[in-house]
Amino acid sequence: MDYKEHRDILIVGFGIAGAMFAWNWVQRRGKTALVVDNSPKTNASRAAAGILNPVTGKRLVKSWNVDALLPEARSSYREIEKTLSTQFFHDKTIRRIYQSEEEQKRWVKRSKQAHYQSFLGATYAPNTLPDPLNDELGSFDIVGVGNLDTDPFLDSMQKWAKERSLLCECDFHHNSLEVEPNRISWEGYTFDHVVFCEGYQVQKNPWFNWLPFNHAKGEILTLQGLGLPSDRIISKHKWLLPTGNDQYIAGSTWSWDHLNEEKTPQGKSALLQGLRAMLGETNTIDIVEHRAGIRPCTRDRFPYLGTHPQQSNLHLFNGFGSKGALLSPLMAKEFTDTILTGKAFNEEADIKRVIDHFRG
């Protein structure tokens, strides 16, 4: 067979994870790549709000490895913005409204812990937020937050990839990949490596579908005309992210049943119910758009990075759940180094931790 061209790696999937891996591989390391994605305008990353939150959940827990992840994410996105002369990353603050007296006690506890102090900001007395926000117990700031505007980011990365003849917008079928010990071929190209950044579509991947994923569906709404402060994200039960021109993204839902990318009345209802707790029952909520996507979640909530147990040239870069915007920059940088030099990466993210699930 006559081959068109040899490239160092084939990257399957071009959401946030695939885009950050391609940037590290091509732009930073000067290697060659081909990226294949059959629906780059509709992938699940576009249904994500891209909030990089250092302190999350009911128990106000620091995000895993956030002290390393957040600076690299901020630096990487700023680097891409400067290189591509665009803007899609914004520094933010989250104003979190207390849901209970118990949450107030947790804030007091966390505020006294040294490793939380750089992320926990001011506290506010009850009823200091403007109408229609309901803050009868008061609120507090989470600082050092970032927001990746996913549509402009992915649009910019696709333009960058197309200008370098990296992106193939076409269907990818796993059975069309010919894997040999020293060479991989696909559609007339040859490669040294393949890295799969497929998100929840990994369930169709014959080399990595043995991994114990726990995918979750999420839905968000775009709202118009709330008249809220535009300088911060508001959080209580749900969250509201201002995006300019009096528009807001509201999210999000979690569902582990009926995993598809279809919007549902149930998801919309759950979002509106959460927003009512924040905005009150009488205020009009004008819905501009409704989106849904599938988060590639893992059972232990750590990402899945690694090399196939029997095929040393097949790799996985996946499992970032709802935190792809936070996790992908540092993980992509480290995993690029791993493939090229054998340098170790964070063992908590290595698929070796679940190797017992593999049945070769």
Side-chain angles (χ1 to χ4, degrees), residues 81-92:
E81 286 181 323
K82 183 177 179 179
T83 304
L84 303 186
S85 300
T86 187
Q87 184 176 10
F88 43 70
F89 185 79
H90 313 279
D91 292 311
K92 294 285 187 181

Side-chain angles (χ1 to χ4, degrees), residues 92-95 124 141 229-234 240-242:
K92 294 285 187 181
T93 296
I94 293 177
R95 177 71 70 87
Y124 302 90
D141 282 341
S230 60
D231 61 339
R232 63 194 62 215
I233 301 165
I234 305 295
L240 280 168
L241 167 67

